[in-house]
């Protein structure tokens, strides 16, 4: 019998996320569908927390960025104007022998198939947009696309948002929403999927000030990852060379994270110039210029874009937090993004301890996602919460019956303190506000 291969960190993480209800394979009972995933009870909470953290820093903490939520289906001309119909393509090659499919720009085609060395087909250009039909007639005139980026919903609303919110350039528009790409090589769990969620912000600036703003957003975005709790040494910038630049960009930097499968992009910061507004002006026939009252001139603003993926940040945070210790596995998630903020346990199921633990749980519910657990030994209950990334566990024990104090155990240090049960809410509020 052959030896079982040792599971990699990614294998172990995938299995933990399934076991604990973070992430499931989509349509699993039918054998799953390639590269589609569902977020379970803990996953949906964590995803919501990541989005909130981003939205807070973009929209609530500044007065020069407005939020929108544009529709996924847009006028098909949008994608002609944006360049996606023509240019959003990857070169695809197939192995004639083992039938594996590759992106020609990611392998050395002169060496044949990376899997079996077989002969490869000539590259074919493959458009990454998903197509469907609007209405009952399935012909070319009724084709619509599932958006491959949320950015275009922002450009076409530039003047709507500006007028309604009375913003002046420079200002930005932020959006969180689903995007779809028929990726040739999806993979690495939720790193590259065909359906994903983006968090994008387009900042409109006066031409000539774009390089300064580009620098500003580059630094601002890198600093934000501290709020997500990502280790600094695992992050770096990667500047796009001429051959890597997207069709719309004058300059681009990626923020990369060091995953177990190597350094990979988690966010793109692009100077898109006036490419998009100019193209929409041309294709729609509408004047999209901005009248700058102070300068007394009309111009098409330049755009600095920051674009990241919720799913990719979820993977980043999970990988970064995953820690194996001699007697436990712990997700050292920043408390702000942890799905459950506190678990409450009665030490035993008698002597009135469950009642007190329930009262504490109820007093916390309005402010936090909390979890009551009375099953198994307290040690096992701690381990379960460590794996779920819960930062605090509160235990009601016999001393609680005497003096009204409970044990509060911190996840990472495993240190325990005693606190009056009436002070738990205040304690958590203070800890989770940071
Ligand atoms: N609007 C610009 C834009 O879409 P991008 O570099 O193609 O730029 C931005 O994508 C971010 O969106 C990436 O850094 C990544 O976080 C996320 N993303 C892109 N494609 C993805 C995919 N197939 N699966 C998951 N996330 C993806």
């Amino acid at each position: 019998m052959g030896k079982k291969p040792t599971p990699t960190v990614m294998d172990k993480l995938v299995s933990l996320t399934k076991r604990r209800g973070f992430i499931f394979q989509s349509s699993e009972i039918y054998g799953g569908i390639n590269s589609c995933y569902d977020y379970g009870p803990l996953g949906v909470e964590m995803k919501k927390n990541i989005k909130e953290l981003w939205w807070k820093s973009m929209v609530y903490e500044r007065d020069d960025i407005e939020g929108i939520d544009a529709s996924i289906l847009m006028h098909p001309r949008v994608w002609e104007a944006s360049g996606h119909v023509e240019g959003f393509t990857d070169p695809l090659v197939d192995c004639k022998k083992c039938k594996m499919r590759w992106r020609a720009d990611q392998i050395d085609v002169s060496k044949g198939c990376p899997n079996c060395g077989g002969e490869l087909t000539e590259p074919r250009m493959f458009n990454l947009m998903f197509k469907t039909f609007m209405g009952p007639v399935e012909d070319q005139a009724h084709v619509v696309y599932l958006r491959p980026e949320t950015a275009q919903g922002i450009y076409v609303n530039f003047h709507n948002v500006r007028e309604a919110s009375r913003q002046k350039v420079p200002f930005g528009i932020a959006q969180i929403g689903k995007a779809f790409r028929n990726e040739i090589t999806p993979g690495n769990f939720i790193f590259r999927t065909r359906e994903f969620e983006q968090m994008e912000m387009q900042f409109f600036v006066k031409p000539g000030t774009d390089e300064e703003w580009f620098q500003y957003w580059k630094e601002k975005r890198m600093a934000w990852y501290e709020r997500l709790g990502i280790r600094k040494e695992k992050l770096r910038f990667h500047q796009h060379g001429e051959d890597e630049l997207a069709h719309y960009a004058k300059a681009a930097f990626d923020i990369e994270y060091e995953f177990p499968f190597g350094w990979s992009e988690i966010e793109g910061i692009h100077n898109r110039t006036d490419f998009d507004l100019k193209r929409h002006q041309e294709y729609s026939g509408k004047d999209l210029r901005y009248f700058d009252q102070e300068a007394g001139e009309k111009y098409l603003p330049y755009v600095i874009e920051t674009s990241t993926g919720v799913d990719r940040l979820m993977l980043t945070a999970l990988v970064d937090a995953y820690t194996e210790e001699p007697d436990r596995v712990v997700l050292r998630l920043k408390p702000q993004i942890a799905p459950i903020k506190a678990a409450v346990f009665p030490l035993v199921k008698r002597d009135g301890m469950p009642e007190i633990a329930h009262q504490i749980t109820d007093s916390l519910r309005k402010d936090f996602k909390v979890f009551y657990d009375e099953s198994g030994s307290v040690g096992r209950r701690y381990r379960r919460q460590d794996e779920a990334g819960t930062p605090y566990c509160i235990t009601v024990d016999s001393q609680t019956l005497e003096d009204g104090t409970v044990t509060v155990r911190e996840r990472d240090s495993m240190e325990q303190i005693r606190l009056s049960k009436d002070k738990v809410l205040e304690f958590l509020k203070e800890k989770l506000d940071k």
Side-chain angles (χ1 to χ4, degrees):
M1 281 238 294
K3 249 174 79 181
K4 263 195 176 169
T6 326
T8 63
V9 170
M10 282 302 287
D11 293 335
K12 289 190 260 188
L13 188 68
V14 171
S15 125
L16 181 149
T17 58
K18 178 176 179 197
R19 190 168 67 243
R20 302 317 317 263
F22 282 89
I23 303 165
F24 308 125
Q25 163 114 66
S26 163
S27 325
E28 195 188 293
I29 59 167
Y30 287 97
I33 172 167
N34 192 14
S35 100
C36 293
Y37 293 92
D38 298 338
Y39 290 87
L42 296 195
V44 70
E45 291 296 329
M46 184 170 160
K47 216 175 165 202
K48 184 170 81 50
N49 295 340
I50 293 175
K51 289 191 269 187
E52 261 175 30
L53 213 56
W54 185 88
W55 194 260
K56 257 190 202 160
S57 78
M58 285 294 184
V59 183
Y60 292 177
E61 292 171 11
R62 323 177 46 108
D63 54 19
D64 58 356
I65 299 185
E66 306 288 342
I68 64 162
D69 183 12
S71 73
I72 288 171
L73 300 175
M74 301 180 72
H75 195 290
R77 289 278 282 167
V78 166
W79 305 109
E80 288 172 34
S82 70
H84 284 84
V85 170
E86 197 188 335
F88 196 51
T89 48
D90 279 341
L92 178 80
V93 287
D94 288 305
C95 173
K96 292 182 181 170
K97 199 165 141 201
C98 73
K99 309 292 177 208
M100 290 273 282
R101 181 161 282 179
W102 307 94
R103 262 175 64 176
D105 57 338
Q106 287 183 343
I107 60 168
D108 183 352
V109 281
S110 67
K111 291 192 177 145
C113 171
N115 184 45
C116 70
E119 194 190 338
L120 298 169
T121 59
E122 282 301 309
R124 280 183 295 130
M125 293 314 274
F126 174 77
N127 194 289
L128 299 183
M129 281 197 295
F130 278 98
K131 262 188 204 171
T132 186
F133 302 95
M134 186 81 107
V137 186
E138 296 195 2
D139 64 10
Q140 191 54 33
H142 295 87
V143 165
V144 287
Y145 300 97
L146 301 189
R147 66 181 177 196
E149 60 170 10
T150 62
Q152 300 302 325
I154 294 181
Y155 303 135
V156 299
N157 277 299
F158 167 61
H159 282 295
N160 283 341
V161 173
R162 183 189 59 75
E163 280 164 19
S165 60
R166 294 190 291 127
Q167 286 282 359
K168 290 193 174 80
V169 169
F171 79 97
I173 304 177
Q175 171 164 225
I176 300 178
K178 288 263 182 168
F180 303 82
R181 294 183 190 175
N182 203 358
E183 299 278 6
I184 297 169
T185 50
N188 284 325
F189 196 26
I190 53 169
F191 179 81
R192 181 174 290 107
T193 53
R194 295 191 170 111
E195 172 181 344
F196 54 97
E197 212 167 350
Q198 284 190 315
M199 303 194 283
E200 298 200 300
M201 193 284 297
Q202 315 294 321
F203 204 75
F204 300 89
V205 306
K206 188 173 180 181
T209 64
D210 51 307
E211 283 173 24
E212 224 173 285
W213 278 110
F214 184 68
Q215 199 54 34
Y216 169 87
W217 279 111
K218 207 180 124 205
E219 283 161 23
K220 197 90 187 153
R221 290 305 303 153
M222 184 58 108
W224 181 79
Y225 284 89
E226 199 180 319
R227 290 179 72 171
L228 200 64
I230 307 301
R231 284 172 290 170
K232 235 184 173 154
E233 66 274 19
K234 292 280 182 179
L235 294 165
R236 72 176 187 194
F237 280 118
H238 163 73
Q239 180 168 17
H240 282 212
E242 280 295 318
D243 54 334
E244 283 174 278
L245 284 177
H247 61 271
Y248 49 71
K250 163 178 158 188
F253 275 89
D254 290 339
I255 296 177
E256 294 186 334
Y257 178 79
E258 191 179 20
F259 288 97
F261 46 84
W263 286 95
S264 308
E265 172 193 341
I266 56 172
E267 169 154 356
I269 297 130
H270 310 122
N271 181 344
R272 292 180 75 133
T273 68
D274 58 1
F275 176 87
D276 301 272
L277 288 182
K278 198 194 265 169
R279 295 274 290 199
H280 286 305
Q281 177 164 276
E282 190 186 327
Y283 280 68
S284 68
K286 299 273 173 353
D287 183 358
L288 296 183
R289 286 175 305 164
Y290 167 74
F291 179 59
D292 187 330
Q293 279 177 329
E294 273 157 45
E297 56 173 324
K298 271 190 164 184
Y299 54 78
L300 277 177
Y302 270 34
V303 169
I304 307 302
E305 164 181 74
T306 76
S307 172
T308 186
V310 184
D311 316 77
R312 214 169 266 192
L313 293 195
M314 185 81 190
L315 183 63
T316 308
L318 286 169
V319 164
D320 206 61
Y322 181 84
T323 318
E324 286 176 11
E325 292 179 5
D327 57 353
R328 65 172 187 158
V329 167
V330 52
L331 282 185
R332 293 172 177 266
L333 293 170
K334 182 115 182 206
Q336 283 74 4
I337 60 166
I340 299 169
K341 306 303 185 198
V344 187
F345 312 147
L347 184 64
V348 290
K349 280 190 260 182
R350 57 182 152 75
D351 303 336
M353 289 185 205
E355 288 74 13
I356 300 174
H358 273 302
Q359 277 165 16
I360 296 174
T361 313
D362 290 342
S363 73
L364 302 176
R365 254 185 228 295
K366 263 197 276 147
D367 295 273
F368 304 112
K369 172 81 181 148
V370 286
F371 182 73
Y372 173 88
D373 189 7
E374 59 176 28
S375 67
S377 73
V378 96
R380 293 231 355 230
R381 284 180 260 169
Y382 281 149
R383 298 291 171 270
R384 281 202 291 262
Q385 294 307 317
D386 288 342
E387 263 202 349
T390 307
Y392 299 101
C393 290
I394 295 140
T395 306
V396 172
D397 53 21
S398 47
Q399 198 178 325
T400 315
L401 309 178
E402 286 163 25
D403 63 8
T405 63
V406 290
T407 303
V408 180
R409 175 215 189 239
E410 198 272 331
R411 178 196 64 202
D412 297 348
S413 63
M414 294 192 279
E415 265 173 21
Q416 302 193 3
I417 55 163
R418 285 207 80 88
L419 202 67
S420 159
K421 64 182 167 54
D422 305 326
K423 290 264 175 348
V424 175
L425 178 61
E426 204 180 306
F427 172 86
L428 286 180
K429 277 189 174 165
E430 200 213 305
K431 292 286 181 191
L432 291 161
D433 193 38
K434 280 180 193 156

